Amino acid sequence: MLTQLKENIVYPEPKKQNIIIEVNELNVYYKNNHAVKNVSLPIRERSITALIGPSGCGKSTFLRTINRMNDLIPGAKCQGEIMYDGINLLDKKIDVVALRKEIGMVFQKPNPFPKSIYENIAMPLKFAGIRGKKRLNDIVEESLYQAALLDEVKDRLSQSALSLSGGQQQRLCIARALALKPKVLLLDEPTSALDPVSSAKIEDLLLSLKKQVSLAVVTHNMQQAARIADQTAFFYEGEVVEYNDTSIMFTKPVYKKTEDYINGRFG
Amino acid sequence: MIVKNGESSLDHKTVNRRLIKENVSYRTFLSRNSENRGKILIFICASLIMAATMSITLFLTLQGIRSFTVDGLNPIKFLTGIHWNPESHQHASYGALPFIFGSFTVTILAALIAAPIGIGSALFMTEIAKTWGQKMLQPVIEILVGIPSVVYGLIGLSVIVPFIRSQFGGLGFGMLAAAIVVGIMILPTVASLAADAIKSVPDEWRQASYALGATKWQTIYKVVIPAALPSLLTAVVLGMARAFGEALAVQMVIGNAKVLPHSLIEPAATLTTMITLSMGHTTDGSVLNDALWSLGLILLIMTYIFIILIRFLSKRGRLS
Ligand SMILES: Nc1ncnc2c1ncn2[C@@H]1O[C@H](COP(=O)(O)OP(=O)(O)OP(=O)(O)O)[C@@H](O)[C@H]1O
Ligand SMILES: [Mg+2]
């Protein structure tokens, strides 16, 4: 699926049943800026992994590397291993277009296309060459339902997506990302531009999505991480200081740095 | 104290004048740090432009309708007649349709040439080869914009006309040659405006598109072009307005025959070429002179229509 399979890619044994993405010794550079340093981290299947850490510590960079959105940034360079389905996603032979259909991404600022609500969700389907009115309708409806947006917009599917509120727009973006049924969804501060009520809706949504997709969420909101994440990774200056089950991390962090950050002593 | 909207309870005897707006007077105009001085200067400049536009419009309208009001030409016949024969003493006829037709045909053909190439090169330098495309094409476009139209005309005369002659026969002069010359002439305008339009499409939409598994080409034609479409159309219409008004380069290659041409490669004429060619040989107040003013009026009306079109397009482009 993902690659034009070639013999020189190594297929290691799956290490643990429930790990969907395993990052090993990942290094990312922007020109001379070493943004991600030797990061090793698993992302578990059907769970939410929260990435926390102070601004500029490389969370977004890490996330973008997973579905190769970093390829679009001139001067960005990656080394290491991101194992997914037995292959290294950083390999030159990866078809990034196919990869991004399996590993979707949602951005900090809601970014619906300046088109109708329906068109927004139909867009990735068209990219994937999925045709047929009936089929498109079904998937659009299903995606909106999964994103808990269907009831609010079912009578106005042909209206501009930009007429929705910020929170609705973000759920539309999630619905859009779900349309191709990705296995993994990467979310970069999906609620930081939203009000508390809209954020709560998105949190509920992410919890419900856990049944179908594996999620990695960057957040600056400690309570949010504590509420929704199964595992949490603490990034600091490009490195992962600590990774653990959220319940352990937030009650008995191993490192002083983690504790300080979680308790808001710096950031 | 209750102060109603638009009224002031502060009379002029108030002691503390620090927070009170100054009155407009010659003194405020002369004072160095007066806010009003700048405002007045800007207002004068703006009024000058408005006055110029209005007087041109008024003058051209008054002159342009003389042929109908004073000389008694029939406006319908003027617009639809196909014979332009002012020299004949008994049967002088003033049918402007060949020139109106010539202007529109040349303009539309020029747009058909310039739009795809212009938008294509704009896409190339903004989306495909961002760094070196920009570096190479930007100066080329700037140079092309700066070349005077007579040079385009000369190139048309020495390259395009002979080429058409050898390919299609005939003289080579005609609307096709004019459209090619004008198309190349407006190409840089269209390209640079289109590039601005494409650059102003927010990057978020490109990101969204790539993140949804779009290829570069899909991103360009399903996301970038639709988002930029109103501004792209504006770029083309602006180019068309230039093409419509171009006289010199067209005059050099169109052949200047005052007849309705049967094909694109027969000599023809446009509104502008007729005016530039004939105006010098007429006397003020003669029927022919008035008729040429009427052609000018048609040009002005078309300019207004182009402007309204651009306004409409750019308003539609603003997203709700
Ligand atoms: N597009 C880019 N080009 C060059 N350097 C970048 C780019 N994006 C990020 N960086 C650099 O990489 C480092 C990590 O940035 P990143 O955006 O990943 O941090 P972050 O943890 O997501 O921060 P925040 O919480 O503020 O979003 C920073 O030093 C930043 O300056
Ligand atoms: Mg970030």
Side-chain angles (χ1 to χ4, degrees), chain B residues 218-254:
Chain B
Q218 285 173 329
T219 302
I220 289 174
Y221 93 113
K222 287 237 157 89
V223 177
V224 176
I225 292 181
L229 195 59
S231 314
L232 292 178
L233 287 176
T234 306
V236 174
V237 175
L238 220 64
M240 285 172 77
R242 256 198 86 191
F244 203 80
E246 175 56 31
L248 193 55
V250 176
Q251 186 185 315
M252 291 168 79
V253 297
I254 201 165

Side-chain angles (χ1 to χ4, degrees), chain B residues 37-51:
Chain B
R37 181 153 77 168
K39 270 194 206 161
I40 290 169
L41 277 175
I42 290 169
F43 180 75
I44 290 172
C45 298
S47 338
L48 273 177
I49 289 183
M50 297 225 295

Side-chain angles (χ1 to χ4, degrees), chain B residues 178-191:
Chain B
I180 293 173
V181 168
V182 175
I184 295 169
M185 225 175 105
I186 64 173
L187 186 61
T189 312
V190 175

Side-chain angles (χ1 to χ4, degrees), chain A residues 97 100-101 109 111-112 127, chain B residues 204-205 207 210 213 218 222:
Chain A
V97 169
R100 291 175 193 145
K101 286 176 177 131
K109 198 170 155 238
N111 56 359
F127 291 154
Chain B
E204 302 151 22
W205 292 334
Q207 299 254 346
Y210 286 123
Q218 285 173 329
K222 287 237 157 89

Side-chain angles (χ1 to χ4, degrees), chain B residues 22-41:
Chain B
E22 52 186 334
N23 284 329
V24 183
S25 75
Y26 74 95
R27 205 171 296 153
T28 62
F29 187 71
L30 293 177
S31 110
R32 190 172 253 288
N33 46 15
S34 162
E35 180 83 353
N36 287 316
R37 181 153 77 168
K39 270 194 206 161
I40 290 169
L41 277 175

Side-chain angles (χ1 to χ4, degrees), chain B:
Chain B
M1 195 190 313
I2 297 163
V3 179
K4 279 202 205 122
N5 220 353
E7 285 175 18
S8 165
S9 66
L10 299 167
D11 59 25
H12 293 290
K13 289 175 217 83
T14 312
V15 190
N16 178 2
R17 305 214 58 85
R18 218 171 12 99
L19 300 177
I20 302 193
K21 258 194 267 174
E22 52 186 334
N23 284 329
V24 183
S25 75
Y26 74 95
R27 205 171 296 153
T28 62
F29 187 71
L30 293 177
S31 110
R32 190 172 253 288
N33 46 15
S34 162
E35 180 83 353
N36 287 316
R37 181 153 77 168
K39 270 194 206 161
I40 290 169
L41 277 175
I42 290 169
F43 180 75
I44 290 172
C45 298
S47 338
L48 273 177
I49 289 183
M50 297 225 295
T53 313
M54 282 189 330
S55 42
I56 289 174
T57 307
L58 198 67
F59 182 66
L60 208 54
T61 311
L62 289 179
Q63 285 282 342
I65 58 170
R66 267 177 62 91
S67 50
F68 312 122
T69 55
V70 178
D71 308 319
L73 295 183
N74 180 338
I76 309 279
K77 271 195 190 145
F78 183 78
L79 290 176
T80 56
I82 58 168
H83 298 295
W84 182 269
N85 201 2
E87 283 86 17
S88 161
H89 285 292
Q90 285 92 35
H91 305 285
S93 56
Y94 296 89
L97 189 65
F99 318 133
I100 298 174
F101 174 76
S103 278
F104 273 98
T105 311
V106 169
T107 302
I108 289 166
L109 284 179
L112 286 180
I113 294 169
I117 303 177
I119 294 173
S121 46
L123 280 170
F124 180 79
M125 66 184 202
T126 51
E127 297 288 321
I128 292 163
K130 258 191 208 140
T131 41
W132 69 267
Q134 191 101 335
K135 251 182 232 149
M136 299 275 292
L137 272 176
Q138 194 83 33
V140 169
I141 285 172
E142 275 157 19
I143 291 167
L144 285 177
V145 172
I147 294 177
S149 53
V150 65
V151 175
Y152 284 100
L154 276 175
I155 293 168
L157 204 56
S158 55
V159 179
I160 291 162
V161 170
F163 177 78
I164 293 173
R165 189 186 300 141
S166 68
Q167 290 302 307
F168 305 103
L171 293 169
F173 291 96
M175 293 192 296
L176 181 62
I180 293 173
V181 168
V182 175
I184 295 169
M185 225 175 105
I186 64 173
L187 186 61
T189 312
V190 175
S192 62
L193 287 171
D196 289 343
I198 293 163
K199 271 186 231 160
S200 69
V201 172
D203 228 19
E204 302 151 22
W205 292 334
R206 294 186 188 88
Q207 299 254 346
S209 172
Y210 286 123
L212 292 168
T215 60
K216 184 158 216 153
W217 176 237
Q218 285 173 329
T219 302
I220 289 174
Y221 93 113
K222 287 237 157 89
V223 177
V224 176
I225 292 181
L229 195 59
S231 314
L232 292 178
L233 287 176
T234 306
V236 174
V237 175
L238 220 64
M240 285 172 77
R242 256 198 86 191
F244 203 80
E246 175 56 31
L248 193 55
V250 176
Q251 186 185 315
M252 291 168 79
V253 297
I254 201 165
N256 303 306
K258 297 161 194 167
V259 292
L260 205 56
H262 298 287
S263 76
L264 294 176
I265 52 170
E266 272 172 44
T270 67
L271 292 166
T272 48
T273 61
M274 274 310 293
I275 295 174
T276 52
L277 279 177
S278 317
M279 204 54 138
H281 313 300
T282 64
T283 46
D284 253 11
S286 67
V287 184
L288 176 56
N289 186 281
D290 289 344
L292 291 177
W293 278 106
S294 300
L295 295 184
L297 182 59
I298 296 175
L299 275 172
L300 185 79
I301 293 169
M302 278 314 299
T303 309
Y304 274 83
I305 291 175
F306 277 124
I307 289 167
I308 291 167
L309 205 61
I310 290 167
R311 293 241 138 195
F312 171 76
L313 287 171
S314 51
K315 201 177 287 165
R316 228 187 38 170
R318 241 176 276 137
L319 298 158
S320 50

